[in-house]
Amino acid sequence: MGNLAPRWLCLVFIFAAVVVAHADKALELRYIMYLTGQHDVVPEQSLVANITHVALAFMRAEIFNNPGHNEWPLFTTIDDARPKFAKETVIQVAIGGWGDTKAFSTAAKTAESRNIFAENVKAMLDATGADGIDIDWEYPGGNGEDYKTPGHLNVDKAWETDAYPQLLAAIRAAIGPAKTISAAVPGLPRDMLAFTPSTIPSIMASVDFLNIMTYDLMNRRDNVTKHHTGLQLSIEGIDAYLDAGVPPDKANLGLAFYVKWFKTAADVDCSAHPVGCKTQLMEDPGTGADLGKAGAFSWHDEVPFDLATSFAKALENGVYDEVGGGQYYWDGEERLFWSWDTEEAIRKKVGVVGKGKGLGGVFAWGLGEDAPKFDHLRATNDAMKNLETTGEEVGESYRERSEL
Ligand SMILES: *[C@@H]1O[C@H](CO)[C@@H](O)[C@H](O)[C@H]1NC(C)=O
Ligand SMILES: *[C@@H]1O[C@H](CO)[C@@H](O)[C@H](O)[C@H]1NC(C)=O
């Protein structure tokens, strides 16, 4: 009994230290935007004042496989992009992207190929003045665009699970600790082939943080409707990484500044249960080809002509699912399921970073996708500001997770 008091006191001190440390941390939340070649639009400085990192997407991966390469084509230059953001903003070059997998396989294959790739990353950083890179290999170990192509099946890519951390390590060795390395990683557990308790430690040894793509969580490979950027599915994705050993403050939550639609089955009335309703076949089971029954467009895109009426109805009549956490609408005439984030949905989703997780921050795909109104960016700005003022709450929940 005698030593109960000191122990109790000790716990209080530890708790206080965690709260203080984490309140501090809350002020340093990462706030990342992808800036894409498709929508190279940056709003006025005041709206991007608190953006900590910008990842310019994309530079093709294949150019890093040529020894001594010295041309670095990108839709913009670092010098053009940098003055559009706050002075301290870290400017990264995002390499790869959906469908750009072959070159990463080539790069990862041997110690020699990994070094060629890594030396070229260093040469690119030196030549462009970028502060770091974001590796968008979608995905190491398989399940990418080519996952049904003979020779590129998941079984052919099993070796990549071990090679991926080695590629990251080679890049870190080449560019040193001062430059930023992040990786965009899949948000669906079914795609996390290379992200397991045995690989996570070596991945995390080389990267500064992971951008967990908690969007496209419904895609053409699904058979029932889901929220593509939904709260519940996002939490499941994040938890899979935390459970595999990713430190919470190295995990960033992904936001989507775009809308998705899916064709539901012709013979099924989804009106009673629009979420979880059967879709049409959206991907060719043999070739993996897109059958045109699902699609996406950003807030900056013109709404495709044949979808405009249905989307107007969705915006007018869409509802927020309090269970799954996502805005949706089912159009019974067109048999279309719509999934997107309203400003309110974004505020709720950003709350995940603080409430219960103590995550490192958020990122969005992408900044210009929200032009010209930037309403979703504004909502994210507000939500991030709100997180900063609730640092204590972040500390408390982090304590729960780390089970002192
Ligand atoms: C969708 O249906 C196909 C064909 O029945 C099946 O092979 C596939 O696993 C299903 N996908 C999901 C995500 O359930
Ligand atoms: C940036 O952060 C500061 C400090 O929290 C806040 O006062 C300001 O409104 C934020 N700016 C934007 C655009 O969110």
Side-chain angles (χ1 to χ4, degrees):
M1 281 288 144
N3 57 9
L4 200 64
R7 234 189 246 180
W8 174 83
L9 248 175
C10 179
L11 270 181
V12 167
F13 280 126
I14 292 173
F15 176 61
V18 169
V19 168
V20 169
H22 225 77
D24 245 14
K25 189 83 215 162
L27 298 174
E28 300 164 9
L29 286 175
R30 273 178 234 107
Y31 187 7
I32 305 166
M33 287 288 148
Y34 283 90
L35 181 62
T36 72
Q38 302 94 294
H39 301 100
D40 180 15
V41 194
V42 179
E44 57 185 273
Q45 278 261 1
S46 65
L47 275 180
V48 293
N50 296 332
I51 303 297
T52 60
H53 299 67
V54 172
L56 306 173
F58 284 109
M59 200 176 268
R60 301 230 5 123
E62 69 204 6
I63 60 178
F64 295 90
N65 287 331
N66 308 328
H69 197 78
N70 61 9
E71 277 174 69
W72 313 107
L74 188 63
F75 67 93
T76 183
T77 64
I78 310 303
D79 291 341
D80 272 349
R82 202 181 284 285
K84 297 176 182 168
F85 298 92
K87 211 164 80 246
E88 322 71 55
T89 307
V90 173
I91 310 286
Q92 296 170 262
V93 170
I95 301 171
W98 181 249
D100 193 2
T101 55
K102 241 194 243 172
F104 281 120
S105 301
T106 304
K109 197 90 205 189
T110 65
E112 195 194 349
S113 62
R114 293 192 286 268
N115 282 336
I116 291 169
F117 192 95
E119 286 304 326
N120 273 329
V121 169
K122 179 174 188 331
M124 184 276 288
L125 294 179
D126 289 345
T128 62
D131 303 315
I133 56 159
D134 180 60
I135 293 284
D136 287 62
W137 178 352
E138 300 181 23
Y139 313 101
N143 267 15
E145 173 78 34
D146 56 359
Y147 81 137
K148 300 256 165 129
T149 307
H152 300 263
L153 307 178
N154 290 1
V155 64
D156 302 314
K157 296 188 178 195
W159 63 273
E160 293 178 356
T161 296
D162 290 328
Y164 174 63
Q166 293 184 55
L167 177 64
L168 295 171
I171 298 170
R172 177 56 84 196
I175 71 177
K179 299 287 186 179
T180 300
I181 304 179
S182 57
V185 298
L188 279 172
R190 73 181 181 222
D191 298 325
M192 296 177 194
L193 302 162
F195 304 88
T196 67
S198 61
T199 60
I200 286 292
S202 50
I203 292 170
M204 300 317 292
S206 301
V207 302
D208 293 283
F209 51 85
L210 300 180
N211 291 342
I212 301 171
M213 296 185 278
T214 49
Y215 44 69
D216 293 336
L217 298 174
M218 173 173 183
N219 58 50
R220 68 182 195 230
R221 293 179 190 166
D222 287 292
N223 304 324
V224 296
T225 57
K226 295 177 194 169
H227 304 297
H228 97 86
T229 164
L231 196 57
Q232 199 51 47
L233 290 173
S234 296
I235 290 172
E236 282 169 29
I238 296 280
D239 277 348
Y241 285 93
L242 302 192
D243 291 346
V246 173
D249 67 343
K250 304 270 184 188
N252 301 327
L253 176 80
L255 304 170
F257 292 170
Y258 59 90
V259 176
K260 290 192 90 166
W261 56 269
F262 304 89
K263 275 271 182 198
T264 57
D267 54 342
V268 179
D269 180 357
C270 298
S271 51
H273 301 284
V275 180
C277 193
K278 193 176 167 214
T279 66
Q280 295 190 21
L281 186 64
M282 301 184 288
E283 180 177 278
D284 186 310
T287 65
D290 187 348
L291 295 177
K293 306 291 182 171
F297 53 84
S298 79
W299 298 111
H300 188 232
D301 293 318
E302 204 173 318
V303 181
F305 179 76
D306 52 339
L307 295 170
T309 307
S310 184
F311 187 51
K313 275 197 280 182
L315 286 180
E316 174 91 18
N317 303 307
V319 290
Y320 187 78
D321 170 11
E322 293 290 344
V323 179
Q327 187 82 6
Y328 71 95
Y329 178 71
W330 183 65
D331 179 347
E333 273 169 59
E334 299 280 345
R335 305 269 156 177
L336 279 175
F337 178 81
W338 290 93
S339 173
W340 73 100
D341 271 346
T342 59
E343 289 146 62
E344 189 52 34
I346 283 186
R347 281 189 206 101
K348 286 186 174 148
K349 191 166 163 182
V350 171
V352 169
V353 172
K355 294 199 193 88
K357 305 283 173 203
L359 302 184
V362 302
F363 69 98
W365 181 276
L367 181 57
E369 277 69 9
D370 200 33
K373 297 207 284 199
F374 292 104
D375 289 337
H376 304 83
L377 175 69
R378 278 174 229 271
T380 314
N381 281 344
D382 289 350
M384 291 298 279
K385 205 187 314 181
N386 186 47
L387 272 183
E388 285 183 358
T389 57
T390 57
E392 215 169 290
E393 191 185 343
V394 175
E396 208 165 345
S397 51
Y398 182 71
R399 175 177 169 269
E400 277 163 26
R401 185 160 257 291
S402 50
E403 289 170 358
L404 283 175

